[in-house]
Amino acid sequence: MFEKIRNRIFKRNMENYEITLEELKTKQNQGAKVVDVRSSQEYKEGHLLGAINLPYYEIKRNAQNIIKDKNQEIVVYCQEGVRSKQAYKILKKLQYERVYNLYKGLDNWI
């Protein structure tokens, strides 16, 4: 029985705060800030058009200086969706109201 469970593929469903790349583009066209939470080096190697870089490890310290309006719609992304999911949680703790995460990051869409 253990072997059957071990070979099974588990898929994670999208959470209500996660969006697709198409939804990200729509939100961006409507004025949302798109935030790449990867490192500066990763950002320099390529990023979504119009995205600003706010590395995950700097969010607590710099988010309020870069995105002053806590009601601003924000979409965060990274390569695989792990750092951006954590960035989402930090931004929510900082009381940003309208935050979304690109489901499973760039690797899932590009």
Side-chain angles (χ1 to χ4, degrees):
M1 179 176 245
F2 181 75
E3 285 299 313
K4 288 182 183 176
I5 292 172
R6 206 165 108 208
N7 291 331
R8 203 172 187 184
I9 297 174
F10 294 97
K11 292 186 178 181
R12 182 174 71 82
N13 291 329
M14 286 178 67
E15 300 290 339
N16 63 350
Y17 60 86
E18 293 178 309
I19 62 174
T20 66
L21 185 59
E22 286 304 314
E23 290 171 309
L24 178 151
K25 290 176 183 177
T26 299
K27 288 186 178 301
Q28 186 177 32
N29 288 337
Q30 295 171 345
K33 293 254 189 225
V34 177
V35 180
D36 186 326
V37 300
R38 299 175 302 155
S39 71
S40 297
Q41 182 61 40
E42 289 172 293
Y43 180 82
K44 288 176 189 172
E45 291 171 3
H47 56 272
L48 295 178
L49 187 63
I52 60 172
N53 185 222
L54 179 57
Y56 165 75
Y57 51 84
E58 293 181 5
I59 288 178
K60 283 182 187 175
R61 182 178 54 222
N62 290 328
Q64 295 174 330
N65 296 326
I66 294 172
I67 306 169
K68 297 183 187 305
D69 181 359
K70 299 237 177 162
N71 289 312
Q72 168 72 52
E73 199 164 40
I74 302 166
V75 181
V76 292
Y77 76 89
C78 65
Q79 200 66 40
E80 296 177 346
V82 177
R83 288 175 284 182
S84 59
K85 188 172 185 176
Q86 295 304 313
Y88 163 85
K89 291 177 182 178
I90 292 168
L91 289 168
K92 291 301 281 183
K93 284 182 183 177
L94 292 172
Q95 299 179 342
Y96 285 90
E97 298 296 323
R98 301 167 63 203
V99 184
Y100 301 90
N101 177 39
L102 178 62
Y103 179 65
K104 291 189 177 181
L106 291 177
D107 282 349
N108 192 52
W109 304 101
I110 297 175

